[in-house]
Amino acid sequence: MSSEQRQDIRKRTFLKGRILFNKGASSMDCLIRDLSETGARLELSETSTLPEVFDLYIPQKDETFRCTLRWRRDGGVGIAFADHHAKPAAAEPAPLPDASIGVLLRRIAELEAENAALRSVLTTLSAAKASAA
C-alpha cells in the first residue's frame, strides 16, 4: 500500500499560518510544514477542534485559502485547497473571502501586541515584588 496519494509534490516549508473558522470568530495558529499547489500539511497543538472546512491565512504570502480537512493525526492535519491553490495574477493579490476577516486579523495582531506589552509589565512587577520581599 503506497502512502503517497497526492497529485502534486509538496515542498517542505516552515511558514506561520492562521486557521480561521466560525465565520472568522474562531482562529488558531499553525505551522505549514509541507505545501503544494493542491494542499498542505499543518502542525498545530489542537486538531480535535478543527472543522472539516476552514480558511488558512498565510501572512508571509498575504494569501487566504479555503481548505478541506483530508486527514487528522496527533499534532497535525492534511488539507486540500478547495480552489486547487489557483495562484492569483502577480498584479492582483488574493482576495480575502470576507472583508471582515481582514479587520479581524488586524485586530488580532493589535491584541497580541497589547498582550505582549502587558506580559512585560507583569514580569517587571513580579521582579520588583520579588526583590522587595
Side-chain angles (χ1 to χ4, degrees):
M1 175 167 101
S2 172
S3 63
E4 186 63 39
Q5 298 176 359
R6 298 182 196 106
Q7 296 172 345
D8 294 322
I9 296 172
R10 289 200 177 164
K11 297 176 188 99
R12 289 200 175 280
T13 63
F14 196 78
L15 296 171
K16 180 180 178 181
R18 180 165 284 293
I19 295 169
L20 306 161
F21 53 101
N22 291 337
K23 297 181 181 174
S26 301
S27 67
M28 64 176 70
D29 289 325
C30 67
L31 186 61
I32 303 160
R33 299 298 300 184
D34 294 314
L35 185 64
S36 76
E37 292 294 310
T38 58
R41 179 173 58 95
L42 311 178
E43 279 184 13
L44 54 155
S45 58
E46 180 62 46
T47 63
S48 62
T49 59
L50 193 62
E52 295 295 314
V53 177
F54 56 89
D55 292 320
L56 174 64
Y57 175 65
I58 306 173
Q60 189 172 350
K61 296 178 176 278
D62 194 27
E63 291 183 293
T64 301
F65 302 98
R66 191 72 173 160
C67 303
T68 303
L69 190 64
R70 301 295 293 190
W71 54 263
R72 185 186 315 245
R73 294 189 190 109
D74 287 340
V77 295
I79 61 168
F81 296 123
D83 61 358
H84 293 292
H85 195 64
K87 291 195 174 188
E92 56 182 288
L96 291 173
D98 185 329
S100 64
I101 289 177
V103 171
L104 287 172
L105 290 172
R106 280 191 295 279
R107 182 66 180 138
I108 288 168
E110 291 169 0
L111 290 172
E112 286 174 344
E114 184 178 340
N115 190 7
L118 290 171
R119 285 178 192 242
S120 177
V121 169
L122 283 173
T123 302
T124 303
L125 290 174
S126 294
K129 183 178 178 182
S131 65

